[in-house]
Structures are given as structure tokens and as C-alpha cells.
């Protein structure tokens, strides 16, 4: 939680769904972008925002999958809660977070204000070290740098939509690793899939701190979140027994969520009036997380290094340097 400020608690919890969090919330006139909005918690996030009246753009690599997702949201199929159709429009646009030309084209095509930027897309635990053409580790490049550049290119649109919110989907995996600024891309140290993933998720949390520190004067705030343990394609590189072992180790405190429950904290940060004006914080199970001691087997809480203003500033400057160098 932010230093000197009370922890934010809400009426919602680990079993709440995205629809329940936004019940009674009117997002008419709000425009939102959800990266990776064609599947997993992304489609559930987009569904809840659209049902609350927001105009939602699914920013996806596979536009065919995006069109299918948009049609499902609009006609209410796949809505396990109520089958309610969307009140807001749902659009699809091509976006590849590993392709800087794609980010530029997406941002250039955006017209008018933007009220919600939800950085949801990501990759996890690649079994072998993979680098981009620029030499960036692929998880850091996708999960952080792509979203960082996207947000920079949409800053004017967010300012025009103020008060505007940026939401960064992080993970409890951030407790595995801070950002190793001396060797972000594993040029000298041995590559470990979850270590690299954890580093990228710490970067997501620090990005939210950085946005709130730098852009709050423009009416833009940002927060990060852990969605929970959800079985989606994100875990396709993981050992199938990993989640079961983690749940057993937790003594039952790790709740296996449905995608609709996993999207609940995302939409809380994106659209709930309970978070109006709040920035630079980290949430889990629809409530602000409590600080904890970082550990590879930790399952809840937020590491102090993930909310450190100095670390956020250093990450911002390093991200700018990396982008400028290519």
C-alpha cells in the first residue's frame, strides 16, 4: 500500500465476478482498450466493461479471434453470469506488442479521448531464453516494454479522457524477482522461466507507480493487480501439476478462480467509483494487497520493491533508453 495512506478495502473478494463488481456502475461514454481481449480474463474484462456501457476496443494480434470474441460479447453468448448483451460497442483492432510498427499504427489510428487503458496481454514462463531482434528478453519485452510504449503513445488520448485510468495486470509471481537492472535480459545470469516472468510482473507494478507519479497532473492514474490463479492459455508452458502443488502448499488459501472471477480486480481498477483518484497501488482479490517478504513460494501480498518510487523512476528511464536505442 502507499506509504502513510490507509489500505483500500472494498465489499468484494476472491469469489467476486467482474459482473458483480460493476453491477450498477454506468460507464456510458467511457472508451476502453483491453490488450489481449480475445480470450481468458481479457474477454471477461471486456465483457464486463461493455455490459456497463463502455465502448471497448479489443487490441489483439489475431483479429479473427478478436472478431469472434466481440460477437460473443455483443450477443451475450458465453456470459455465464446472466447472458446479458453488451450495452456498449465492442471493436477490434490489430496490436502486436512485440512489433513497434504495430504499436505505432494502433496509436496513430486512435481518435478522440481514451478513459481506460487495460494492459492485460502477456506471456508466461517461456521454457527457453528467447530474445527479440533488439536483444530484449521476450517476457520483459511483451509484458512490460510493449505496454510501456503503447501507454506513452496514447498519453495525449488519456489526458483528453481525464480522469483516465491505466490498469497493469501483474502477478504474485513478482515476488520471485525484482527488476535486475544490471542484467534484465539474462546476458550474464542463467535463464529461469519463472524468474524472467516474475521480473516482468514487477515491472508491471513499477510502471503503475511511474504513471501515477508522472501523469497524475494530467488526470491519469494507474494501479497494478494480481488477477488470481486462473486456468487459461497463459499457463500453457507450465507444468500441469504446478498449480495443484501451489494450492496444496497454500493450505487452501490459494483460490482457483474462473476467468470471470479473475477479471474482477481488473474491472474494479478500471471502472469502479471506489478507485476514483487512486494510483500507484497494487491489488489482489479486489482489495489492496498488504506488504510481504518476497519469496519464490509466496502466494499473496506485494513486495516493497514493486512499489518503490525510486525503482519506478529507474525502470521508466531504462525503458526510455531501450526504446531510444532501437
Amino acid at each position: 500500500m502507499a506509504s502513510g495512506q490507509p489500505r483500500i478495502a472494498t465489499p468484494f473478494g476472491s469469489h467476486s465476478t467482474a459482473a458483480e463488481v460493476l453491477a450498477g456502475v454506468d460507464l456510458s461514454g467511457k472508451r476502453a482498450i483491453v490488450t489481449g481481449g480475445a480470450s481468458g480474463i481479457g474477454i471477461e474484462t471486456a465483457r464486463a466493461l461493455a455490459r456497463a456501457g463502455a465502448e471497448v476496443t479489443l487490441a489483439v494480434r489475431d483479429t479473427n479471434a478478436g472478431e469472434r470474441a466481440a460477437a460473443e460479447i455483443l450477443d451475450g453468448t458465453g456470459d455465464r453470469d446472466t447472458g446479458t448483451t453488451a450495452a456498449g460497442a465492442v471493436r477490434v483492432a490489430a496490436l502486436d506488442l512485440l512489433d513497434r510498427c504495430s504499436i505505432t499504427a494502433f496509436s496513430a489510428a486512435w481518435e478522440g479521448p481514451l478513459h481506460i487503458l487495460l494492459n492485460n496481454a502477456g506471456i508466461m514462463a517461456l521454457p527457453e531464453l528467447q530474445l527479440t531482434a533488439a536483444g530484449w528478453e521476450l517476457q520483459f519485452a511483451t509484458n512490460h516494454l510493449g505496454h510501456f510504449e503503447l501507454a506513452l503513445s496514447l498519453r495525449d488520448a488519456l489526458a483528453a479522457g481525464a480522469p483516465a485510468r491505466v490498469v497493469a495486470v501483474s502477478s504474485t509471481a513478482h515476488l520471485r524477482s525484482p527488476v535486475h537492472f544490471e542484467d534484465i535480459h539474462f546476458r550474464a545470469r542463467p535463464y529461469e522461466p519463472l524468474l524472467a516472468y516474475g521480473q516482468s510482473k514487477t515491472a508491471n507494478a513499477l510502471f503503475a507507480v511511474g504513471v501515477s507519479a508522472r501523469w497524475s497532473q494530467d488526470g491519469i492514474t494507474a494501479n497494478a493487480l494480481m488477477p488470481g490463479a486462473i486456468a487459461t492459455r497463459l499457463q500453457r508452458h507450465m507444468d500441469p501439476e504446478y498449480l495443484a502443488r501451489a494450492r496444496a502448499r497454500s493450505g487452501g488459501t490459494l483460490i482457483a478462480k474462473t476467468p470471470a472471477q479473475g477479471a474482477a480486480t481488473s474491472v474494479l481498477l478500471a471502472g469502479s467509483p471506489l478507485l476514483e483518484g487512486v494510483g500507484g497501488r497494487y491489488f489482489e482479490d479486489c482489495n489492496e494487497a498488504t506488504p510481504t517478504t518476497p519469496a519464490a513460494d509466496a502466494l499473496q501480498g506485494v513486495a516493497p520493491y514493486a512499489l518503490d518510487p525510486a525503482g519506478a523512476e529507474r525502470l521508466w528511464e531504462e525503458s526510455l533508453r531501450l526504446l531510444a536505442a532501437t
Side-chain angles (χ1 to χ4, degrees):
M1 70 189 72
S3 176
Q5 295 179 324
R7 175 176 175 267
I8 294 175
T10 78
F12 308 106
S14 59
H15 294 286
S16 299
T17 66
E20 290 167 348
V21 168
L22 291 186
V25 175
D26 184 3
L27 296 179
S28 301
K30 302 293 187 181
R31 305 176 75 208
I33 294 170
V34 180
T35 67
S39 63
I41 66 171
I43 189 174
E44 297 300 334
T45 298
R47 189 195 312 279
L49 293 173
R51 187 163 57 185
E55 175 193 306
V56 182
T57 296
L58 309 181
V60 295
R61 286 189 301 169
D62 184 345
T63 54
N64 289 329
E67 294 291 352
R68 290 192 295 271
E72 178 183 312
I73 293 169
L74 288 169
D75 66 19
T77 59
D79 190 331
R80 296 172 180 82
D81 288 332
T82 65
T84 305
T85 57
V90 182
R91 311 183 191 284
V92 178
L95 176 68
D96 184 343
L97 292 167
L98 286 174
D99 183 343
R100 299 189 65 190
C101 291
S102 175
I103 295 172
T104 299
F106 177 91
S107 302
W110 185 268
E111 296 181 352
L114 173 62
H115 305 92
I116 300 164
L117 174 59
L118 213 152
N119 294 339
N120 168 82
I123 55 176
M124 177 182 184
L126 300 179
E128 297 178 351
L129 175 62
Q130 296 185 46
L131 302 175
T132 69
W136 305 335
E137 190 276 318
L138 207 65
Q139 293 178 85
F140 188 83
T142 303
N143 299 346
H144 169 62
L145 286 172
H147 282 125
F148 178 81
E149 184 168 16
L150 177 67
L152 289 183
S153 63
L154 290 169
R155 177 178 176 172
D156 288 347
L158 287 163
R165 304 186 190 187
V166 179
V167 179
V169 178
S170 181
S171 169
T172 194
H174 84 273
L175 294 165
R176 289 178 172 269
S177 177
V179 176
H180 286 268
F181 290 101
E182 296 78 13
D183 189 16
I184 290 175
H185 307 292
F186 293 86
R187 296 189 176 103
R189 56 187 172 131
Y191 173 77
E192 295 181 25
L194 284 175
L195 199 67
Y197 179 65
Q199 174 180 246
S200 75
K201 295 290 102 178
T202 293
N204 292 152
L206 288 173
F207 167 71
V209 175
V211 166
S212 292
R214 286 171 171 259
W215 297 354
S216 60
Q217 70 273 16
D218 294 328
I220 304 167
T221 55
N223 292 287
L225 71 116
M226 159 62 171
I230 310 120
T232 68
R233 277 184 51 78
L234 179 66
Q235 292 88 24
R236 60 188 178 276
H237 299 297
M238 296 289 293
D239 177 351
E241 297 181 357
Y242 175 81
L243 185 58
R245 292 198 302 270
R247 193 176 301 118
R249 190 173 69 248
S250 76
T253 60
L254 181 65
I255 305 297
K257 297 183 179 183
T258 65
Q261 291 170 330
T265 310
S266 292
V267 301
L268 177 84
L269 302 187
S272 173
L274 297 172
L275 274 295
E276 191 66 46
V278 173
R281 306 198 191 193
Y282 178 98
F283 291 75
E284 61 188 4
D285 295 336
C286 294
N287 290 276
E288 187 174 2
T290 56
T292 192
T293 302
D297 59 351
L299 300 172
Q300 291 180 308
V302 59
Y305 58 64
L307 296 176
D308 176 45
E313 179 66 16
R314 185 176 182 183
L315 176 66
W316 196 284
E317 293 300 327
E318 177 63 12
S319 300
L320 290 175
R321 188 193 70 79
L322 289 169
L323 294 177
T326 55

